[in-house]
Every structure is written in structure tokens, then in C-alpha cells.
Amino acid sequence: MDKTIKLRVKKEIDNIDELKVLKLKGALIAKKYTEIIHIADENDDFYLNSFSSSPTHKKEAEDFILEYISNNNLTDTITLISTKN
């Protein structure tokens, strides 16, 4: 059974950070952690991005996301939301 990974992404960001967010999403797909990323409005300030990943890749995908956020100074822009599944 696939596991869901959720990201909270700030809506109001500059072009440089927007490009970094797009690169993260592209990398998640390129690394085959997922095939599609769903985007929904969470509220006026944030989008909720979610995708399914196989149970064997969930931890690896989360580690990749956290490292990407840290390496690209996106801690104020993207938050990995912990899920129990």
C-alpha cells in the first residue's frame, strides 16, 4: 500500500525560490518517488502538495526532501508534514 507524503509550500515566494520548489518536484518525479504531485490550497498563505510513494521509498523520499530544503535554504518556504501512514 502506498504511503502519502505531504508538503506545505508558502504561496508568496520570489522567483528564485519558486524555481527551487519546481526543481524539487521534478527531482521527486525523476527519482521515481512518485509519478504525480497533487496541489491544493491549504489556506490563504500555503499550498498543500501531496504525493504517494511506495512504503520502501517513503523514508528515502522524506530524507531527500529534508536535505533539499536544507541545502537550498527553503526552511521558510517548504515544510514536510509528518504523517503516520
Side-chain angles (χ1 to χ4, degrees):
M1 182 171 162
D2 285 350
K3 302 296 181 180
T4 301
I5 296 174
K6 295 181 182 178
L7 303 172
R8 179 175 289 124
V9 181
K10 194 174 190 179
K11 285 185 178 181
E12 298 295 324
I13 57 177
D14 61 32
N15 290 342
I16 294 170
D17 284 349
E18 186 173 355
L19 182 59
K20 290 176 184 179
V21 171
L22 290 173
K23 286 182 178 181
L24 170 60
K25 293 177 187 181
L28 291 169
I29 293 169
K31 292 180 174 288
K32 301 200 184 296
Y33 293 133
T34 188
E35 292 180 6
I36 189 167
I37 298 173
H38 304 279
I39 303 169
D41 283 333
E42 182 178 40
N43 55 39
D44 290 340
D45 298 320
F46 295 96
Y47 294 111
L48 189 60
N49 292 227
S50 61
F51 64 92
S52 296
S53 187
S54 69
T56 57
H57 289 118
K58 183 175 189 260
K59 174 76 169 115
E60 184 180 338
E62 290 176 336
D63 290 345
F64 173 78
I65 292 165
L66 291 172
E67 183 176 340
Y68 187 93
I69 290 169
S70 177
N71 290 344
N72 289 279
N73 299 316
L74 294 171
T75 53
D76 293 334
T77 305
I78 303 174
T79 305
L80 178 64
I81 300 173
S82 297
T83 55
K84 291 183 181 182
N85 60 346

